[in-house]
Amino acid sequence: MENAALALTGIGLLALGCQWLAWQIRVPAILPLLIAGIAAGPITGVLDPDAVLGDLLFPLVSLAVAVILFEGALTLDFRELRGHGRTVSRLVTWGALITALLAIVAAHLILGLSWEMASVLGALLVVTGPTVVLPLLQSLRAREHVSQILRWEGILIDPIGAIGAVLVYEFVALGLSNGAATHTLVSFAQTAVIGFGLGTAGGYLWGSVLRHYWLPQRLHSFGTLMIMLTLFTASNLLFHESGLLTVTVMGVWMANMRGVPTQPILEFKETLSILLISGLFILLAARLSLAQLGLLSWEAWAFLAVLVWVARPLAVWVCTWGSSLNWREKALLAWLSPRGIVAAAVASLFAIRLEALDVPGAELLVPITFLVIISTVVVQSLFSRPLARFLKVDAPTASGFLIIGANPVARAFGSALQEAGFAVRLCDHNWDAIQEARMASLPTYYGNPLSEHAAQHLGLTGIGHLLPLSPYRELNNLAALHFEHTLGHGNVFRLAVESSRNARRHHQQALAHLPLLFDGHTTFTRLSSLIGQGAVMRHAKISDNFDIEDYRRIHQDRLLTLFTLSASGRIRIATSAKPLNPKAGDTLISLIFPDSPEF
C-alpha cells in the first residue's frame, strides 16, 4: 500500500512537471507526458503500472476514457458544425472517412495487420483534437480564416472521430469474439441499440433535471459525473463494452439540448480531465515494453509517412475543392494534422481489451499510435511556423485587443479601438453585459476567459494586447498573468487599484512587472464613474500647428490620454512609465471628462 501511494504521488508530481514544461515551451502537454511515461517505464523501469494498480488498472483506464470521451462529446454543438463553412464540415466528415480508409489500407499492406485490426487503428488515427491543434495555432499565427478552419476541425473532429472509433472497435471486437458474421451483426445491433438508446434517454432525462434546476446548481457538475459513470457501468452490464458509446451519445445529446447549462459542467470536467489525462498518459506510456518499442521498424515509419504525406493531403484536396483557398493555404492545411489525447487514450484501452482476447497485432496498437502522436506533434511544432512564412500565409503582427469585461467601460474602449481599425474581443460571464456589447457590434466571448473552453473557442487570431477592464480585481490579475505567456511581455497591462493596503501589496507582488495603464492612478472605479457621468472617447489629429498641449488647453485639461496611432497604423498605449508624446501626423485617443466642476 505504501509503495502504491508513493508511486501515485510520484506520478502526480511528474504530471505537474510535464504540464508546466508544456506551458513553458508552448507544446501540447501530451508530448512531455508520453515521453516522461516512456522514460519512467520501459527505459528506466522505475514505474510498473500493472504492479502498482494490479486489477484496478483496467477499470481506472476505462472510467478515465469514459470521462474524456464524455467531455469531448459535450462540446459537439451541431449548430457549430453548420456554422463554420463547407470546408470544416467536409473535413470532419468526408476528410475523416478518406483518412480512415487510407490508414486502414496502409496498416494492412505495410504493417501486415488483419483487416479487423487495421480498421481499429485507422479509425483511431482520424482524431486530431483541440489539445494538440490549439497550442500549435498559437505559435503558428496563420491567416485568420486558415486558423479558424484548423481550430474548428480540431474541436469538432474530437467527438465525431471518437464515435466512429468506438463503433468500429465494437464491431471488430464482437466479430473477433463471436466469429460468425450473423452473430456479429446481431451483437453490434444490440450494442448500437443500447448505446444510442441509453445514451439518448440518459442525456434527455439528465438534461431535463439540469434545465429545470431540480438539483442545486452546486451539485450539477458532481451529479453529471456520477450519472454519466452510472450509465457507463449500467450499459456495460447490459451488454459488454457498450458503455463508451453510451456516454459519448449522452454528451452529444446534452450539448444540443436547448436550455441545458453545460458551461459549469465543462469547467469542472476540465480540471478533472487535466488530472485524469496527465496521470493516464504517464501510466499508459509506462506500460509499453522495450519489445513493443522494438516493433517500430521501417514498416511503422512507412505507415506514418503514408498517413502524413498521402492521406492528409488527399483529404484536404478533396474537401477544399471549389473553395476560395489558394494552393498555399491548402498546403498549410495539408501539413497540420497532429494526433491527440483521444487517440492515445482510446488506443490504450482498446489494446488492453484486445490483448486479453489474444488478438494478433493488438500489441502494435499502442506503439504505432504513440509513434504517430509524438512524431506529428514534434515535427509540426518545429516546422509549422517556418512553413507558414515560406508559404506566405502567416498573419501580420497581431495588434488587436482582448478586453476583460463587457461593462460600459470595456464597451467604450472596445468601440473606440474598433473605430480606429483594430480587432477587439470582449470577454465577460455577465450575459446582460455581453448582450449590450453585441448590440454595439462588438465581438464577444461569453464565459470565463481562463477556462479550457475559452482556450478552444475564444480565438486569439489577430489579438496582440490585453486590457483588464473588469470590475473584478482578481479576474483582471489572473487574466493578465494567464495571457502574458501567450501575448508576450509588454503587451499585457494592469490597472491601478484602490489604496487598500492588502490589495496594494498583493497587486504589487504579483503584477509589478506589468506596465501600469494610463497615468498610473486611474482605477476601474474612476473610469466607471467618469463614463457613467458622461465622459466620452475622442480622436484628435496632431499636427505641427496643433500639439497635445493645445488639445489640453481646449478641454481645460479635463482629459485622460489613452492611445496614439501613428500614420502607419501602429498603436501606442499610455502607461505610467511611458506617457504618450504624440508627434505630427499621429492620432490621439483620449477620454474627455464631463464639463462639470466635479472633474
Side-chain angles (χ1 to χ4, degrees), residues 582-593:
K583 301 175 182 178
D586 290 351
T587 299
L588 177 67
I589 301 178
S590 306
L591 182 66
I592 308 300
F593 301 169

Side-chain angles (χ1 to χ4, degrees), residues 10-20 33 36 274-275 277-279 282:
I11 291 171
L13 290 174
L14 185 59
L16 177 61
C18 290
Q19 290 281 355
W20 175 83
L33 287 169
I274 290 175
L275 174 64
I277 288 168
S278 300
I282 290 176

Side-chain angles (χ1 to χ4, degrees), residues 279-475:
L280 183 65
F281 288 134
I282 290 176
L283 281 170
L284 296 177
R287 288 192 77 248
L288 286 170
S289 64
L290 291 176
Q292 285 178 306
L293 294 177
L295 295 173
L296 298 177
S297 57
W298 70 265
E299 290 92 347
W301 292 98
F303 172 77
L304 173 65
V306 170
L307 203 63
V308 173
W309 296 108
V310 179
R312 176 63 177 182
L314 181 60
V316 168
W317 180 76
V318 171
C319 295
T320 57
W321 183 268
S323 71
S324 60
L325 298 173
N326 59 45
W327 72 267
R328 298 174 185 272
E329 294 164 340
K330 292 179 182 180
L332 187 63
L333 289 178
W335 165 254
L336 266 172
S337 59
R339 268 51 178 189
I341 282 169
V342 171
V346 178
S348 300
L349 179 61
F350 289 178
I352 293 173
R353 294 179 174 179
L354 293 172
E355 286 172 6
L357 295 173
D358 294 323
V359 178
E363 70 282 357
L364 277 174
L365 203 57
V366 172
I368 292 293
T369 302
F370 283 10
L371 171 67
V372 172
I373 291 171
I374 294 175
S375 299
T376 54
V377 170
V378 169
V379 174
Q380 293 175 18
S381 295
L382 290 175
F383 295 105
S384 292
R385 181 65 176 159
L387 179 63
R389 289 174 179 167
F390 174 77
L391 293 172
K392 298 179 181 179
V393 295
D394 52 332
T397 302
S399 56
F401 287 81
L402 179 65
I403 299 176
I404 306 302
N407 50 74
V409 175
R411 296 198 297 270
F413 275 78
S415 296
L417 290 166
Q418 191 175 65
E419 182 182 343
F422 292 91
V424 297
R425 190 159 292 115
L426 280 62
C427 304
D428 208 311
H429 58 266
N430 184 314
W431 178 246
D432 292 334
I434 287 291
Q435 289 287 74
E436 290 285 343
R438 290 177 179 174
M439 290 175 65
S441 300
L442 293 169
T444 62
Y445 170 77
Y446 173 56
N448 179 4
L450 311 181
S451 67
E452 187 67 24
H453 183 271
Q456 296 182 16
H457 294 79
L458 176 57
L460 295 178
T461 304
I463 301 297
H465 308 91
L466 179 134
L467 296 179
L469 299 176
S470 163
Y472 306 105
R473 182 190 305 132
E474 288 304 316
L475 177 59

Side-chain angles (χ1 to χ4, degrees), residues 77-116:
D77 188 335
F78 289 125
R79 289 167 294 184
E80 292 177 346
L81 181 60
R82 294 190 299 267
H84 289 278
R86 186 173 57 178
T87 298
V88 174
S89 300
R90 286 177 173 180
L91 283 171
V92 299
T93 51
W94 291 108
L97 181 61
I98 291 169
T99 302
L101 291 176
L102 288 176
I104 290 169
V105 173
H108 178 70
L109 298 179
I110 298 175
L111 298 177
L113 295 177
S114 65
W115 284 113
E116 292 82 3

Side-chain angles (χ1 to χ4, degrees), residues 195-207:
F196 281 98
L198 198 57
T200 300
Y204 173 76
L205 293 174
W206 187 247

